[in-house]
Amino acid sequence: METHPILVVGSGPAGLEAARSVAELGHRVVLVERSLALGGAPIAENYAALTPDLDDAETAMNRMIEAVRTDPLVDIRTSTTVVATSGQAPELAVTMKGPKGEDSLTVGAVILCTGFQHFDPGRETQLYGYYEHDDVITLVDAERMLKAHQFVRPSTGQPPRRVCFIQCVGSRDRQIGNTWCSKVCCGIACKEAIEIRQLVPDCEVFVFYIDMRTYGFWEDQVYWRAQEEYKVSFIRGIVTEVTKRGDTVVVKGEDTTMGRPVEVPMDVVILSVGMEPSVGTREMAKLFDLPLEPHGYIATVGGPLNPVATARPGIFAAGAATGPADLEDSISMAGAAAVKAAGFLRKGLRKAG
Amino acid sequence: METHPILVVGSGPAGLEAARSVAELGHRVVLVERSLALGGAPIAENYAALTPDLDDAETAMNRMIEAVRTDPLVDIRTSTTVVATSGQAPELAVTMKGPKGEDSLTVGAVILCTGFQHFDPGRETQLYGYYEHDDVITLVDAERMLKAHQFVRPSTGQPPRRVCFIQCVGSRDRQIGNTWCSKVCCGIACKEAIEIRQLVPDCEVFVFYIDMRTYGFWEDQVYWRAQEEYKVSFIRGIVTEVTKRGDTVVVKGEDTTMGRPVEVPMDVVILSVGMEPSVGTREMAKLFDLPLEPHGYIATVGGPLNPVATARPGIFAAGAATGPADLEDSISMAGAAAVKAAGFLRKGLRKAG
């Protein structure tokens, strides 16, 4: 007995892996992506290299994209959004709106991989002067330059002599309402620091942090490597203000290890912006009638022993749609969600048969 | 055409989830566990509550155990070890030694879930006096007491008035050879600190740490909660010595935030011991001819975009056998590995057919 296809929403690392996994199990998949291009944030935001292995992000993502593109079990719908649903899995009707208008189909199960968006450092806080100073950029802006193999001071186009990262911008911050840690920014800052030192060997690089959260193997793979091999300076401190003096951006704060105020002129300041639930994540939660957890991501209901089940049977979520996630998390959760979705259909078949 | 069963080695959270996932996909599984009991570290080491939700560990694990016990597709072999292998997946012959002697069978794919062991704080370092002082215990010893709902000072049997945790014992430490961060110890220390304050409300609790790595939602779920709701004191500092003065254990070190030496008498000192590859992980790597990564865990070959593939086709690894892993990691990786193993068999069938 044939089952309905499994719907995967979102085509970042989690969505691509979920689609590939479902197809690997022999099920049909409909992969819906609101953008024109597959690949999610790593492609849309021009990631340079992956953490921790510094593999080229575009090449790695293209391998994943190619795998779903060439799989006859995967029906790819780009520039398409889900606009309505009715019924229950394994007989869930979804209406999609794409380039050729609206289309309806019945799906057996759903995997939501709608991911995150980066915190907007101009929102609710003028502290860091992101919109005031050209030389204050984000982790994401830095990726774009690193991908082009050219790291410059935006205001002059010249190589910088001194660059710093400010960690936890939009994370661990009750005032702006984001109480969570975004998990990946410490590792990514270390990775970008290494890349900047590779591209501009004369440039001094500093990282202002609260706690360096380079968990697991990231500890020596990127944190120690940045310190020892690339001479990046890590300063435990709180940045209280980023201002401009003449042509230079000045970072003021407190070095909490030394217990003294610091005031350092920088050519480029990189804000390590955290993760927030994406617009797509919030929209799909609403559309599929899924409760959110207290931080605003899609709530999973199984605790640490079942991280992909949502409150509705047959609807699963993977990756940063459920909270801050690194690449390994997103990929692993996608596989786990594929098993649950396929198992859900199989259970339905056994009952029906 | 019927395929051979999939072999899952180890029955901790990753192994149980791998077995359940494979069965959920309709494949037969042989689940091999060297101990008498299923459940891995959470059961063998008497974990009290899970991080971060403080659910009862035994109850949660028993649900997982029950799921595999009652699944007719899962063939459970306890008190059994794999002693020899030959050939290649999907026609891999394995010899197992169990209570009734040796038994051989052919398996189609393998998922290694052989996990970690805790760092022995007496090994190569007498710094913390684990074997010298009764009141110096580990995270694991603390779990055992917390599970019995009685937290006492071991030397007296009385409730302690002052307890501290020392983080990164056997982690982030080049001298003892463990350069990695063990990922979960910060979260677990926060969780245990909360449990101690619940059981012994008069007891002061301190945590000496280098960086608090309560990533993602653990930030507010356990770290802020420990500080704000349970008044646990977190001291960024390096402990240089644990000695005894009269009846009391004295912790000496440096508070690196205040920049001053600290010397605090404690009734109980809890060493937050990290993860190391287990004996089973090292033995199975050898037996299945799998290379280790530089830290001594089973090497995975796909980078962050494929965290479960090993160097040998058809052999996968999940959970702490591949490096420090939290429960979500172990469960998600197990699902991902089940997809890969089932997909591997399916590919073989298509080629054969």
Side-chain angles (χ1 to χ4, degrees):
Chain A
M1 192 172 131
E2 182 73 9
T3 59
H4 298 301
I6 291 171
L7 174 69
V8 174
V9 185
S11 75
L16 289 172
E17 182 70 4
R20 179 164 73 173
S21 297
V22 168
E24 209 165 336
L25 297 172
H27 283 275
R28 288 179 301 133
V29 196
V30 178
L31 175 62
V32 173
E33 166 58 53
R34 67 191 305 156
S35 307
L36 186 63
L38 299 178
I43 293 298
E45 299 189 336
N46 297 292
Y47 288 8
L50 301 180
T51 304
D53 56 7
L54 274 80
D55 264 11
D56 183 74
E58 193 177 340
T59 309
M61 291 306 299
N62 279 344
R63 268 197 300 269
M64 294 191 74
I65 291 168
E66 203 49 28
V68 302
R69 271 209 197 290
T70 55
D71 196 314
L73 288 171
V74 186
D75 172 2
I76 298 175
R77 316 267 184 111
T78 50
S79 305
T80 300
T81 47
V82 180
V83 293
T85 74
S86 68
Q88 301 290 334
E91 294 281 340
L92 185 74
V94 295
T95 306
M96 299 180 298
K97 196 169 174 176
K100 293 175 191 165
E102 286 198 358
D103 187 17
S104 289
L105 78 165
T106 304
V107 299
V110 179
I111 305 175
L112 296 174
C113 304
T114 42
F116 71 98
Q117 66 191 27
H118 286 99
F119 174 72
D120 174 353
R123 196 194 79 196
E124 294 182 43
T125 166
Q126 298 304 308
L127 194 60
Y128 301 117
Y130 180 64
Y131 290 115
E132 286 75 54
H133 313 312
D134 289 344
D135 297 334
V136 179
I137 66 175
T138 67
L139 274 188
V140 194
D141 301 324
E143 284 292 326
R144 202 180 308 118
M145 284 204 271
L146 292 168
K147 191 178 177 180
H149 299 289
Q150 199 193 31
F151 193 82
V152 298
R153 189 174 165 187
S155 65
T156 63
Q158 295 304 305
R161 292 150 308 158
R162 206 186 262 154
V163 169
C164 79
F165 290 82
I166 302 176
Q167 297 304 108
C168 298
V169 175
S171 301
R172 304 181 68 181
D173 186 336
R174 184 171 270 147
Q175 268 191 305
I176 61 112
N178 294 3
T179 54
W180 61 88
C181 154
S182 292
K183 200 168 181 178
V184 301
C185 337
C186 284
I188 293 174
C190 290
K191 182 211 68 139
E192 290 190 357
I194 290 171
E195 290 174 289
I196 291 168
R197 291 276 301 152
Q198 287 174 337
L199 278 173
V200 195
D202 290 341
C203 180
E204 286 183 282
V205 180
F206 302 85
V207 180
F208 290 96
Y209 70 97
I210 309 175
D211 295 281
M212 275 312 289
R213 293 194 168 165
T214 41
Y215 47 77
F217 295 157
W218 286 10
E219 176 73 7
D220 54 1
Q221 286 173 340
V222 293
Y223 180 38
W224 292 17
R225 196 174 168 214
Q227 287 180 75
E228 296 175 1
E229 205 174 319
Y230 289 94
K231 312 297 174 204
V232 175
S233 303
F234 289 83
I235 299 165
R236 190 172 202 257
I238 292 160
V239 172
T240 51
E241 207 184 355
V242 176
T243 52
K244 211 163 174 187
R245 188 181 303 151
D247 283 347
T248 310
V249 178
V250 178
V251 173
K252 289 183 191 171
E254 200 196 335
D255 180 330
T256 53
T257 302
M258 297 301 181
R260 63 180 182 208
V262 287
E263 197 179 305
V264 202
M266 291 287 163
D267 293 333
V268 181
V269 173
I270 303 173
L271 306 178
S272 290
V273 287
M275 291 191 186
E276 293 187 328
S278 70
V279 173
T281 290
R282 284 174 280 150
E283 282 177 5
M284 288 303 108
K286 208 165 180 180
L287 200 68
F288 284 94
D289 197 21
L290 297 173
L292 302 175
E293 54 77 54
H295 309 92
Y297 294 84
I298 293 173
T300 56
V301 295
L305 296 180
N306 183 354
V308 299
T310 73
R312 283 186 65 190
I315 304 185
F316 306 93
T322 68
D326 62 28
L327 283 172
E328 283 92 333
D329 296 338
S330 298
I331 296 293
S332 297
M333 288 176 83
V339 170
K340 300 275 179 198
F344 177 81
L345 294 187
R346 203 173 153 267
K347 229 173 283 172
L349 275 189
R350 274 185 301 180
K351 271 185 202 156
Chain B
M1 189 172 132
E2 182 73 9
T3 58
H4 297 301
I6 291 170
L7 174 69
V8 174
V9 184
S11 75
L16 290 173
E17 182 71 3
R20 179 164 72 174
S21 297
V22 169
E24 209 165 337
L25 297 171
H27 283 277
R28 287 179 302 133
V29 196
V30 177
L31 175 61
V32 173
E33 166 59 51
R34 68 193 302 156
S35 307
L36 186 64
L38 300 178
I43 294 297
E45 298 190 335
N46 297 291
Y47 288 7
L50 301 180
T51 304
D53 57 7
L54 274 80
D55 264 10
D56 182 73
E58 193 178 338
T59 309
M61 290 307 297
N62 278 343
R63 268 196 301 270
M64 295 190 74
I65 291 169
E66 204 48 28
V68 301
R69 271 209 196 289
T70 55
D71 196 315
L73 288 170
V74 186
D75 172 2
I76 298 175
R77 316 266 183 114
T78 51
S79 305
T80 299
T81 47
V82 179
V83 292
T85 74
S86 69
Q88 302 289 335
E91 295 280 341
L92 184 74
V94 295
T95 307
M96 299 181 297
K97 196 169 173 177
K100 292 175 191 163
E102 287 199 354
D103 186 19
S104 289
L105 79 167
T106 304
V107 299
V110 179
I111 306 175
L112 295 174
C113 304
T114 41
F116 71 98
Q117 66 191 28
H118 286 99
F119 174 71
D120 175 353
R123 197 194 79 197
E124 291 182 47
T125 166
Q126 298 305 308
L127 195 61
Y128 301 117
Y130 181 63
Y131 291 116
E132 285 78 54
H133 313 313
D134 289 345
D135 296 335
V136 178
I137 65 175
T138 67
L139 274 188
V140 194
D141 301 323
E143 285 291 327
R144 203 179 308 120
M145 284 204 271
L146 293 167
K147 191 177 178 184
H149 300 290
Q150 199 192 29
F151 193 82
V152 298
R153 191 176 165 187
S155 65
T156 63
Q158 295 302 308
R161 290 151 309 159
R162 207 185 260 153
V163 168
C164 79
F165 290 80
I166 302 176
Q167 298 305 108
C168 297
V169 175
S171 300
R172 305 181 67 180
D173 186 337
R174 183 172 272 148
Q175 268 191 302
I176 61 113
N178 293 3
T179 54
W180 60 89
C181 153
S182 293
K183 200 168 179 179
V184 301
C185 337
C186 284
I188 293 175
C190 290
K191 182 211 69 140
E192 290 190 357
I194 291 172
E195 291 174 288
I196 291 169
R197 291 276 301 151
Q198 287 174 338
L199 279 173
V200 194
D202 291 340
C203 179
E204 286 184 281
V205 180
F206 302 85
V207 179
F208 290 96
Y209 70 97
I210 309 175
D211 294 281
M212 273 313 289
R213 293 193 168 168
T214 41
Y215 47 78
F217 294 158
W218 287 10
E219 177 72 8
D220 53 1
Q221 286 174 340
V222 293
Y223 180 38
W224 293 17
R225 197 174 166 216
Q227 287 182 75
E228 297 176 1
E229 207 174 315
Y230 290 93
K231 312 298 175 204
V232 175
S233 303
F234 288 82
I235 299 165
R236 190 173 201 258
I238 293 161
V239 172
T240 50
E241 206 184 356
V242 175
T243 52
K244 212 164 173 187
R245 188 180 303 151
D247 282 348
T248 310
V249 178
V250 178
V251 173
K252 289 181 191 171
E254 200 195 335
D255 180 331
T256 53
T257 303
M258 297 301 182
R260 65 179 179 207
V262 285
E263 196 180 306
V264 203
M266 291 286 165
D267 293 332
V268 181
V269 172
I270 303 173
L271 306 178
S272 290
V273 286
M275 289 190 189
E276 294 187 328
S278 69
V279 173
T281 290
R282 284 174 280 151
E283 282 178 3
M284 288 305 107
K286 209 165 180 182
L287 199 68
F288 284 94
D289 198 22
L290 298 173
L292 301 176
E293 53 78 52
H295 308 92
Y297 294 83
I298 294 173
T300 56
V301 296
L305 296 180
N306 183 354
V308 298
T310 73
R312 284 186 65 189
I315 303 187
F316 306 93
T322 69
D326 62 27
L327 283 171
E328 283 92 335
D329 297 338
S330 298
I331 296 291
S332 298
M333 290 176 83
V339 170
K340 299 278 178 195
F344 176 81
L345 293 187
R346 203 175 152 267
K347 230 174 281 170
L349 276 187
R350 274 184 302 183
K351 270 186 206 159

